[in-house]
Amino acid sequence: MLPKVDFPELLLEVAELTGIEEVFTHISGADSHMEGFATSLCAVLLSEACNVGFTPVIKPGVPALTRGRLVQVDQGYFRAENISAANGLFIEAQAKIDVVRAWGGGLVASADGVRFTVPVQTLYAGSNPRYFGLRHKGATWLNVVNDQVMGLGGVVVPGTLRDSLFILDAIHARDGGPKPETVITDTASYSDIVFGLFAICGYQFSPRIADISDARLWRTNTAADYGPLQPVSNHTIRLDRIRARSGPGVTTHDSGAGPPWV
């Protein structure tokens, strides 16, 4: 059984093992020379991650946990690029664990979104009565996780826009780890053109398509052999009817050895 530990203790131990304080540079570009900087940094991370503010983590008798120190670290060191660099260290450290290597090599990634109501005015919020009600707006946090159970990065999507192109953005700007070969998403990210875009970028796009058993595959040549698709491509396209109803600008091609192009 795993020992029971408090979250702050776990965060401090992980920070010591990975050395994340080294990548949290000041906004001016200078390194930190504060005594107890790692403790102050973990306190700010904890307050932000749990959305509790500084009050629960302030200890006036501890120099690293005074309000003034935490405000200084938050304003000078707590930036998106530093958090991304720290996550890269986490990804690297996670990949060195024996049991994690048994889970996978980090070459499979899964992307999904979590929707939040945004109570303030912002460009990152959009309307969708289904998820946010009639009077509110919201945003989608799109997260990418690999098969080693590590978050590679994420991006904020305004409202509930189709997130397939945002997935590409998140993967290209990932915080660390090897480039995934396969990207798994849900049905909402699926469209025909997305398969081509992912292939051009060197990824295999594998959406979990709902109701796939209801899909139909069509052929133009009943005598052609479509290999593994032979048993399921049992519907025939009548090209003569397409030509009769189409204008002179539309042409069809059927090689007899594979699916036709129209």
Side-chain angles (χ1 to χ4, degrees), residues 236-255:
T236 304
I237 296 177
R238 295 290 300 274
L239 292 181
D240 55 336
R241 294 184 178 180
I242 295 178
R243 297 189 184 100
R245 294 177 178 271
S246 303
V250 177
T251 60
T252 60
H253 169 69
D254 179 18
S255 63

Side-chain angles (χ1 to χ4, degrees), residues 129-206:
R130 177 181 176 184
Y131 295 102
F132 311 126
L134 296 175
R135 299 183 178 182
H136 300 283
K137 293 183 178 181
T140 300
W141 169 249
L142 185 64
N143 190 31
V144 180
V145 180
N146 66 7
D147 56 0
Q148 294 183 331
V149 198
M150 276 302 299
L152 301 181
V155 63
V156 177
V157 180
T160 58
L161 297 176
R162 182 175 291 273
D163 52 14
S164 54
L165 298 183
F166 292 96
I167 293 174
L168 274 178
D169 186 21
I171 294 177
H172 284 317
R174 65 188 182 279
D175 298 334
K179 177 182 176 180
E181 296 179 354
T182 303
V183 180
I184 302 173
T185 67
D186 56 16
T187 303
S189 301
Y190 159 74
S191 65
D192 292 340
I193 195 172
V194 171
F195 281 94
L197 292 175
F198 272 75
I200 291 173
C201 296
Y203 305 103
Q204 176 182 330
F205 184 59
S206 302

